[in-house]
Amino acid sequence: MALPAILARNLTKDYADAFGIPRIRGLDGLILEVPPGQVFGLIGPNGSGKTTTIKLLLGLIFPSFGSAEVLGHRPGSLAAKSRIGYLPEEIALPRFLTGEEALEFYGRLFDLPRETRRKRIASLLELVGMKAPARRQIRTYSKGQARRIGLAQALINDPDLVILDEPTSGMDPIGSREIKDLILRLKEQGKTVLLSSHLLADVEDVCDRLALLERGRVRMMGTVAELLESRDEVTFAARGINEGGMAEIEAAIRRCGELLSVSRRREKLEELFLRVIRSGKPGDGGTEVRGSAEGGRSGSGAGTSSGADSPTAAGPA
Amino acid sequence: MDIEGGRELVAPGAAEAACLFTMAAGVLTAAISTTFRRRLGQVAAAGSVSFREALRDGTFPAVILMCAIPGLAAVSSEADGTPQGRLRLVLDWTLNGGAWVCALATCILSAVFAVRDADGSPEPTILMKPVPRYVPLIGRAAGIAAMNACWLLWVGMLACALSWWGLRREERAGMDAESLYGEVFSPASLALPLEAADGTDADVRLLRPGGKVSFNFPPTSVYGPEQLDLRVRMYSGAGFHKRLACTVTVRNPDTGAMIREIVRAVAGRTYRIQVGKELVSGKNGTVVEFTSLASPDAPHDKYLDGEWYKGHIALPPAEAARFAIPAGGPLPALAKVLGIFFLKDAALALAICCWAGAVSFPIAGALGLFLLLAGETSGFARAILLPPVARGVAIPEDEALHRKAIEAMFLPLPDFGAVGGMEKVLAAEHMPWSAMARAFTTWVLLFAGPWAIAGWLAFRRREIGA
């Protein structure tokens, strides 16, 4: 049996004050096991312990109690870090370097050979759609562009475990979609992804399993289907039914159970945005929607939309 | 101490041995250890980021500009009127001032960069790469040290350039005065001052044949045979001198041997000197004239043209340097003193960078300034607090205890004045390699090493972004 990519046993973190006295419990007895090849999501409100969990798993901070293993190694060990890619929540890049130089720098920290580094940087810039602005200094980037370079640096070592803290923060809808597509591609390549976000739709779209944290405790954990599927409510989607047909269906449902609501399917705002931007035509409202000011688009996987087409309303209870 | 060919032969001591051992150990480790090479590459990568950031955020050029201010002030301020005085002033201000600017910039940048990395957040992404926690600290220190090396190189170049320019300026000023003198006392004369050397008391002036010499003119400079020889060679390309007489004014009637030396020195070079004759004798000494032979291709129309002459004087930097500092010239001494400044700043950068990762900016900045000021003044403070005791004099027990306590207090502080590189440059003394070895051992290894290790231990357990 393969080792779990992430294993946390009773992981607890207390934040101390200036005198070293524990004051705030950031994480309380987290028990977690993420098998390899899975996309695992951490969701929760601000201060629920998502980033604390990630930093504990990375060895950036140290647990008060409990222990963790990442890819079979102690968090923070060189062996673990050489197989991890990490995108922090804030823009964590040397601001006066260009995007390309920053990737070169991170590649050198991994001791990648020059030729490998060059090829990988080129492909990553292409992947995150930053080929054109790669020679500009990072301080001139928009937040979304900096996130893209941040994502590229997280993938510079072709990691087995990718930890993404709010990866779509500051991204436009196209960028968000591309990030989600990228996560799905990483999963197809057999990589494990730990994703923290409070954009619930993002998590729902890409995660196999998720944990809902609140005040440092896990409130719910399971697969997306387990957590979101309603046992006694059913949604039908149909096309081309006339008024008579609708009445018959309603009557049939009432005979078998309770009819909660009947409504026409509404397109998601994200779907509308992507459709308009990608078609290059103005929307029905007649207002022209300008393309994002971000750098070049990768276009790869742009048509993928996984769960975004689902008519079911998203979001956990 | 033996001197051979102007070089001091110093027997290898403990400092050199420690220095050589460290370097040999480093080279050996680098050669055999892949891990060491990898770490070195990572340190270089982190250092290059610091360097590039300083270059792009304007810090690097700002320090370059600030380094030039003391030197320019030295050139534009009043000296004692002699080329040597000007040279000392320029070297003193340029090197000392520049070194202070570099040291201050090193302290501040070490603190700022470390805190900026921590608060501006490149730190988590760097530390999430397979690098030990000491790598970013040492890398940052290495980057700042590399910047420091560039700044000090600039200071050295500036010192050379300003010395040369200052010397020329002083000479021209002296030449103007002499021309004026010539106009007053002998309109056709053109006189030049020569340089001073200890133990001699004569002036040499190049005068037009037949020019009158006032024996009571105020002395402007004193020379020795070597300086005369050098000066004659210096002007050998000017042409005019071929038609001029070399007039030696001797104030000490007993210096006939020196005059013979002068004749020998001059005659052995590009001129041939005719027999000298006594021109004036008076209470202050004797003026003797030596007339050079005219050259058929001498530019007759130029040799009395003072303006043309001044415009064509080109004092080569090396000659100027040699002229000013007899002990083998200042360049080797200058290079070594810059090396000593570099070692001091590198030690500071290492100590501060390692600590700055673990504390906040105000603390890191204050620590840096404290170490710099303490290092610069600890020698004086130690001398005041621990007055020397005559050998053989018994010290009371309580005083001995008191002295030991004071010595212990000074232990964690460097003594940047102990090596005294600058004094040696200004005193035109030879700087031994042992001074650099001593600086490396005491500052980098013994001072910065423990500070850096303590800082790293503190940083090692620091929680990033907590």
Side-chain angles (χ1 to χ4, degrees):
Chain A
M1 184 183 163
L3 275 174
I6 296 171
L7 186 63
R9 302 184 198 92
N10 198 25
L11 205 56
T12 302
K13 176 65 186 173
D14 292 327
Y15 289 108
D17 61 13
F19 301 101
I21 301 166
R23 293 286 182 199
I24 301 165
R25 178 148 288 190
L27 193 65
D28 193 0
L30 176 73
I31 298 171
L32 184 68
E33 187 172 330
V34 181
Q38 212 173 60
V39 180
F40 191 90
L42 289 174
I43 56 172
N46 292 339
S48 58
K50 304 186 294 292
T51 301
T52 297
T53 305
I54 287 178
K55 285 183 174 169
L56 283 167
L57 293 174
L58 293 170
L60 291 175
I61 59 176
F62 311 110
S64 306
F65 309 106
S67 63
E69 274 181 27
V70 178
L71 299 168
H73 300 283
R74 180 179 55 80
S77 65
L78 296 185
K81 288 198 285 189
S82 62
R83 295 170 60 198
I84 293 178
Y86 169 51
L87 173 67
E89 189 177 358
E90 293 91 17
I91 297 169
L93 302 164
R95 296 187 309 128
F96 288 92
L97 297 191
T98 66
E100 198 170 20
E101 286 170 346
L103 294 182
E104 170 77 18
F105 165 57
Y106 288 114
R108 284 176 73 186
L109 292 184
F110 276 104
D111 198 29
L112 297 175
R114 185 187 297 266
E115 192 57 25
T116 312
R117 224 160 48 213
R118 196 181 60 76
K119 283 180 184 166
R120 201 167 288 173
I121 288 170
S123 69
L124 281 171
L125 287 173
E126 181 78 40
L127 182 74
V128 298
M130 287 293 290
K131 205 166 184 181
R135 288 178 191 272
R136 271 178 27 217
Q137 288 182 25
I138 288 172
R139 66 194 170 117
T140 65
Y141 286 175
S142 69
K143 192 178 177 191
Q145 286 175 318
R147 298 296 289 170
R148 286 164 187 266
I149 289 293
L151 189 63
Q153 68 79 26
L155 301 175
I156 190 83
N157 58 325
D158 191 20
D160 295 325
L161 170 62
V162 184
I163 298 181
L164 307 172
D165 199 353
E166 305 286 357
T168 55
S169 161
M171 292 267 192
D172 61 26
I174 296 179
S176 298
R177 184 70 258 165
E178 286 172 359
I179 297 287
K180 286 189 272 186
D181 292 339
L182 178 64
I183 292 170
L184 292 173
R185 275 210 301 283
L186 291 172
K187 182 191 166 188
E188 282 168 15
Q189 292 168 13
K191 301 187 188 306
T192 312
V193 180
L194 178 66
L195 171 69
S196 154
S197 179
H198 50 238
L199 297 176
L200 304 179
D202 291 352
V203 178
E204 183 191 347
D205 284 351
V206 295
C207 287
D208 300 315
R209 291 173 66 219
L210 58 86
L212 171 61
L213 297 176
E214 190 198 12
R215 293 182 191 173
R217 286 176 165 274
V218 177
R219 300 299 301 268
M220 294 175 79
M221 193 187 310
T223 64
V224 175
E226 283 168 4
L227 295 177
L228 300 184
E229 195 174 272
S230 174
R231 300 287 172 204
D232 60 348
E233 290 181 21
V234 180
T235 304
F236 295 98
R239 183 185 290 155
I241 302 173
N242 58 19
E243 290 298 321
M246 283 289 287
E248 278 181 37
I249 292 169
E250 283 182 30
I253 290 172
R254 286 204 175 88
R255 278 198 297 278
C256 307
E258 184 187 2
L259 180 66
L260 295 178
S261 69
V262 176
S263 59
R264 296 203 169 271
R265 179 182 179 271
R266 287 179 66 185
E267 198 173 23
K268 281 184 178 178
L269 195 55
E270 184 191 8
E271 291 172 308
L272 173 72
F273 186 93
L274 293 176
R275 186 163 54 75
V276 172
I277 294 297
R278 284 174 180 163
S279 68
K281 294 173 186 172
D284 291 340
T287 308
E288 187 179 351
V289 182
R290 289 177 65 86
S292 163
E294 314 293 357
R297 302 292 177 201
S298 67
S300 54
T304 319
S305 57
S306 64
D309 290 330
S310 164
T312 315
Chain B
M1 187 172 69
D2 297 327
I3 304 285
E4 187 180 89
R7 286 173 182 268
E8 184 186 334
L9 301 178
V10 182
E16 289 96 321
C19 188
L20 287 174
F21 176 77
T22 311
M23 284 192 280
V27 170
L28 193 67
T29 315
I32 60 175
S33 166
T34 314
T35 310
F36 186 86
R37 279 206 300 271
R38 183 178 300 159
R39 297 287 171 261
L40 213 58
Q42 291 169 336
V43 164
S48 71
V49 170
S50 294
F51 198 106
R52 272 189 254 190
E53 288 200 329
L55 211 58
R56 289 173 187 177
D57 69 6
T59 312
F60 189 87
V63 176
I64 288 274
L65 285 180
M66 283 192 284
C67 283
I69 293 173
L72 295 177
V75 169
S76 57
S77 63
E78 284 292 320
D80 62 0
T82 63
Q84 282 102 334
R86 172 66 63 187
L87 185 83
R88 278 168 203 275
L89 186 76
V90 168
L91 283 177
D92 192 3
W93 286 29
T94 310
L95 292 178
N96 271 331
W100 262 100
V101 171
C102 291
L104 270 177
T106 299
C107 289
I108 294 169
L109 284 188
S110 301
V112 168
F113 276 19
V115 176
R116 187 166 75 182
D117 278 3
D119 294 345
S121 291
E123 208 166 45
T125 45
I126 294 171
L127 291 178
M128 275 323 298
K129 304 300 180 255
V131 294
R133 282 200 172 194
Y134 64 79
V135 163
L137 302 181
I138 295 179
R140 202 180 295 125
I144 291 170
M147 267 185 271
N148 197 277
C150 295
W151 291 329
L152 286 172
L153 197 65
W154 159 247
V155 167
M157 287 161 58
L158 204 64
C160 286
L162 290 177
S163 301
W164 178 50
W165 190 66
L167 274 175
R168 288 190 61 186
R169 185 165 162 267
E170 207 63 54
E171 285 184 340
R172 286 188 181 191
M175 211 158 57
D176 288 343
E178 294 300 329
S179 297
L180 183 63
Y181 159 77
E183 282 170 14
V184 172
F185 294 97
S186 176
S189 71
L190 182 67
L192 299 170
L194 288 186
E195 292 305 319
D198 292 340
T200 58
D201 58 349
D203 281 1
V204 169
R205 286 149 194 267
L206 297 178
L207 294 175
R208 184 185 180 188
K212 289 181 184 174
V213 178
S214 165
F215 193 64
N216 296 319
F217 61 80
T220 53
S221 56
V222 187
Y223 75 103
E226 284 182 11
Q227 278 69 39
L228 174 63
D229 178 33
L230 178 68
R231 174 54 61 104
V232 168
R233 277 193 289 124
M234 197 185 303
Y235 296 137
S236 63
F240 75 96
H241 64 275
K242 292 173 185 170
R243 298 296 296 255
L244 296 184
C246 174
T247 304
V248 180
T249 308
V250 182
R251 289 200 176 73
N252 184 350
D254 300 330
T255 52
M258 190 177 70
I259 293 174
R260 281 195 295 278
E261 282 298 314
I262 293 168
V263 172
R264 192 159 35 228
V266 174
R269 293 293 170 181
T270 54
Y271 324 42
R272 285 188 295 145
I273 302 294
Q274 285 186 325
V275 179
K277 62 177 180 178
E278 191 174 291
L279 289 182
V280 185
S281 280
K283 59 177 180 178
N284 290 331
T286 306
V287 174
V288 184
E289 184 192 67
F290 303 92
T291 309
S292 68
L293 291 178
S295 167
D297 57 345
H300 296 275
D301 57 330
K302 297 291 184 190
Y303 75 97
L304 284 181
D305 185 347
E307 286 308 311
W308 176 89
Y309 159 68
K310 280 186 265 182
H312 282 73
I313 286 182
L315 196 61
E319 289 288 283
R322 199 144 62 88
F323 173 60
I325 297 182
L331 282 182
L334 191 66
K336 284 178 194 166
V337 85
L338 290 176
I340 285 173
F341 286 150
F342 171 74
L343 289 173
K344 177 181 81 174
D345 293 346
L348 280 172
L350 186 63
I352 299 168
C353 280
C354 288
W355 266 104
V359 294
S360 63
F361 171 68
I363 298 174
L367 176 77
L369 290 179
F370 168 73
L371 287 179
L372 174 62
L373 293 176
E376 295 290 352
T377 57
S378 67
F380 301 112
R382 190 194 293 259
I384 291 167
L385 293 172
L386 294 173
V389 179
R391 183 174 289 179
V393 175
I395 305 171
E397 195 174 330
D398 56 341
E399 194 187 327
L401 203 64
H402 179 65
R403 289 177 76 91
K404 276 184 184 170
I406 293 175
E407 276 174 4
M409 195 176 74
F410 280 104
L411 265 183
L413 299 178
D415 183 2
F416 291 141
V419 175
M422 197 59 215
E423 287 76 12
K424 291 207 182 289
V425 169
L426 292 180
E429 289 176 10
H430 181 67
M431 172 92 70
W433 281 104
S434 59
M436 291 196 72
R438 188 175 167 199
F440 177 76
T441 313
T442 55
W443 297 344
V444 179
L445 295 184
L446 298 181
F447 155 65
W451 274 95
I453 290 170
W456 169 66
L457 287 174
F459 181 66
R460 199 166 156 252
R461 292 300 299 170
R462 196 191 128 201
E463 299 196 320
I464 308 296

